Amino acid sequence: MWNNFLYGIWLSVPIIFFIQFSYNRITELRKKKHDPINRSNYYLQVGVFTLFCSVFAILVNEYFLITSIPTLIHTDYALETIQIVFYPLLVSFLAPYAGSNKPPETLQDHIQKHGLLKPFNSKNNENSRR
């Protein structure tokens, strides 16, 4: 029962990202114009990454944690504590190796990239006041 609850939580994270991807894709198709800030691909990448982490965490939990942790540590709550902390730690450690999961650029970044907005420079601002 406890493992099923954990697996439900672990699998709900990628499901949320896939729902958000579907919602953004549907609204993008409904508007029929291209949004310069493309968030839907980001949600898809993060959804696939968290799905991989969830499946990996479930496999490690089933075949390693449940069988070996109770024999190594002889307390009542050690296994549950390790199971709770395992998925967030796994996602945190694998996130730098996930590739190009950059957050979508903001509208200000998009405008600045195309040269329509100059970055604020405090030295230029002080010289213009004199």
Side-chain angles (χ1 to χ4, degrees):
M1 180 86 169
W2 168 253
N3 289 332
N4 293 336
F5 176 71
L6 273 179
Y7 299 160
I9 291 174
W10 292 349
L11 290 173
S12 66
V13 174
I15 289 171
I16 290 170
F17 282 112
F18 288 132
I19 289 171
Q20 188 67 37
F21 164 74
S22 301
Y23 174 75
N24 279 355
R25 187 60 70 165
I26 289 170
T27 56
E28 192 176 280
L29 292 173
R30 206 181 296 165
K31 288 181 182 178
K32 298 201 185 212
K33 59 180 176 177
H34 182 65
D35 188 14
I37 304 168
N38 190 2
R39 292 179 182 89
S40 59
N41 290 339
Y42 173 71
Y43 291 127
L44 180 63
Q45 288 176 351
V46 175
V48 169
F49 170 70
T50 54
L51 180 65
F52 169 76
C53 289
S54 298
V55 169
F56 185 72
I58 289 170
L59 291 175
V60 168
N61 189 37
E62 284 291 323
Y63 296 110
F64 177 70
L65 291 180
I66 293 176
T67 58
S68 65
I69 294 299
T71 60
L72 297 174
I73 303 171
H74 300 291
T75 61
D76 293 337
Y77 300 108
L79 177 63
E80 288 83 7
T81 305
I82 292 171
Q83 287 176 327
I84 290 171
V85 174
F86 181 67
Y87 181 72
L89 286 178
L90 180 70
V91 171
S92 298
F93 286 129
L94 291 181
Y97 304 108
S100 63
N101 284 341
K102 297 178 193 171
E105 62 181 14
T106 62
L107 186 58
Q108 183 177 1
D109 292 339
H110 184 73
I111 292 171
Q112 191 174 18
K113 183 171 71 174
H114 294 291
L116 301 173
L117 181 69
K118 302 296 182 201
F120 180 74
N121 191 351
S122 61
K123 291 181 181 177
N124 289 344
N125 195 17
E126 290 174 5
N127 291 339
S128 65
R129 289 183 187 172
R130 292 181 184 174

